[in-house]
Amino acid sequence: MAVPIAVLDCDLLLYGRGHRTLDRFKLEDVTDEYLVSTYGFPRQFIYYLVDLLGASLSRPTQRSRAISPETQILAALGFYTSGSFQTRMGDAIGISQASMSRCVANVTEALVERASQFIRFPEDEATVQSLKDDFYGLAGMPGVLGVVDCTHVAIKAPNAEDLSYVNRKGLHSLNCLMVCDARGVLLSAETHWPGSLPDCTVLQQAALTSQFENELHKDGWLLGDSSFFLRTWLMTPLHIPETPAEYRYNMAHSATHNVIERTFRTIRSRFRCLDGSKGTLQYSPEKSSHIILACCVLHNISLEHGLDVWSSPATGHMEQPEEEYEQMESMDSEACRIRQELLLTHFS
């Protein structure tokens, strides 16, 4: 005997007149251990996201039924932390893989809308000084406002401008420019740059450079590796150190800058959709950029909630294209003077 199967419209499921919801999954019915193992985060964190994003995920339409904000958030977290639309995950919360994909799009959009709320440089003097003190405590490098670097995230080959996204390893990627503090909190994240652009070009064209060139962040500098040019607001390592002071400077620089590398590893470990273990992000460059930024927002929110940035185990990730460091020494005489003064004052 044939069994009738009801085919549910994804749009009809997501939003509905009167906001009636399909709540087949209840957070209170499962353990924290299950939530962490399946969706990557504990109950109270998920409740916080429901409060934060609920209004954006409950937009009224002319549809008759809706998936609740809670379920949409679980679907998105499941994708971010696993990297795939698994049938068992959709079954657990009572929606199809197609509906899960739509949920990911909605939650991603809601998080991106709030990026400036959670990813930003501090402005008040006391917080800025605390930022410098935290960095100084790592290896004795003074005046540091953040550490900057780029990381590549693999994406599928786009339909247009294909070659602009091919990196030095011959893979399609986005080159993401990020800055973090001594705890791994992101202070800036630009996730849209094509993978063919070298790190120094990304920084040259970035909004971050405009901020520092316009002196929005005074009395300090960022630390960058040798893939960047030395600037008055960006201290890089010496290419060929010769004196003991120069070696001490380079060692302090390396130990401090390592925070951003650890942060990249942690983000990839927590958000497996970015680490390449499940393949590339199967979206356009624009949508992939938004997914990366959404994960960055979640990373910072997780730190606000006490989820230790260094607690996640390391995982495999996309091999990062190597930069040609030899050409990166700056001819900026003022930047050279500032670095030399830093060497003489603090490392001699």
Side-chain angles (χ1 to χ4, degrees), residues 160-181:
E161 299 180 306
D162 183 68
L163 292 179
S164 68
Y165 291 92
V166 178
N167 62 38
R168 290 171 57 84
K169 294 292 184 181
L171 303 173
H172 292 85
S173 67
L174 290 169
N175 196 3
C176 305
L177 178 73
M178 300 187 194
V179 180
C180 76
D181 70 8

Side-chain angles (χ1 to χ4, degrees), residues 80-309:
Y80 296 147
T81 58
S82 72
S84 65
F85 295 111
Q86 300 173 18
T87 301
R88 64 175 180 82
M89 192 175 297
D91 290 344
I93 55 179
I95 62 175
S96 68
Q97 290 190 34
S99 293
M100 283 191 65
S101 180
R102 197 68 64 92
C103 291
V104 170
N106 291 338
V107 174
T108 296
E109 179 183 354
L111 287 167
V112 168
E113 288 174 354
R114 292 160 175 80
S116 61
Q117 176 183 344
F118 293 99
I119 302 175
R120 63 188 187 279
F121 280 90
E123 296 179 357
D124 64 281
E125 187 174 335
T127 307
V128 171
Q129 186 58 51
S130 178
L131 184 68
K132 295 179 183 179
D133 292 343
D134 288 344
F135 274 120
Y136 187 80
L138 294 178
M141 181 69 76
V144 180
L145 298 173
V147 287
V148 60
D149 207 350
C150 288
T151 186
H152 286 254
V153 176
I155 62 171
K156 73 172 183 179
N159 295 325
E161 299 180 306
D162 183 68
L163 292 179
S164 68
Y165 291 92
V166 178
N167 62 38
R168 290 171 57 84
K169 294 292 184 181
L171 303 173
H172 292 85
S173 67
L174 290 169
N175 196 3
C176 305
L177 178 73
M178 300 187 194
V179 180
C180 76
D181 70 8
R183 294 178 52 235
V185 175
L186 295 174
L187 306 174
S188 177
E190 299 185 34
T191 59
H192 62 284
W193 297 101
S196 65
L197 294 180
D199 293 359
C200 61
T201 303
V202 169
L203 181 62
Q204 183 178 357
Q205 299 178 9
L208 178 70
T209 293
S210 297
Q211 292 179 26
F212 277 86
E213 294 287 358
N214 293 327
E215 297 188 342
L216 295 182
H217 310 289
K218 299 179 180 180
D219 303 322
W221 39 70
L222 301 178
L223 295 189
D225 64 20
S226 297
S227 62
F228 299 116
F229 287 107
L230 177 70
R231 300 170 184 258
T232 57
W233 49 267
L234 176 64
M235 294 293 102
T236 60
L238 288 141
H239 183 50
I240 304 176
E242 297 178 347
T243 68
E246 290 176 345
Y247 276 102
R248 284 192 289 269
Y249 166 85
N250 270 15
M251 290 177 63
H253 187 291
S254 177
T256 307
H257 187 265
N258 186 53
V259 173
I260 189 74
E261 300 296 339
R262 295 171 67 190
T263 301
F264 287 158
R265 289 195 296 269
T266 298
I267 291 173
R268 291 179 182 278
S269 175
R270 180 168 281 157
F271 303 106
R272 301 295 295 276
C273 68
L274 307 181
D275 77 350
S277 64
K278 300 291 185 180
T280 62
L281 283 174
Q282 296 298 303
Y283 296 92
S284 68
E286 181 181 9
K287 290 183 178 179
S288 295
S289 170
H290 287 177
I291 288 172
I292 299 166
L293 185 56
C295 291
C296 291
V297 173
L298 287 172
H299 168 78
N300 275 10
I301 295 175
S302 70
L303 291 183
E304 285 188 6
H305 284 251
L307 301 179
D308 187 1
V309 67

Side-chain angles (χ1 to χ4, degrees), residues 32-79:
D32 259 342
E33 289 75 13
Y34 173 81
L35 291 173
V36 171
S37 64
T38 307
Y39 304 103
F41 294 95
R43 188 185 321 274
Q44 291 305 314
F45 183 87
I46 296 170
Y47 280 142
Y48 173 82
L49 292 181
V50 172
D51 290 339
L52 178 69
L53 307 178
S56 297
L57 301 176
S58 303
R59 299 184 180 107
T61 73
Q62 297 304 309
R63 305 291 183 177
S64 60
R65 307 186 77 186
I67 293 178
S68 67
E70 180 180 287
T71 300
Q72 292 185 61
I73 288 167
L74 287 173
L77 291 179
F79 169 72

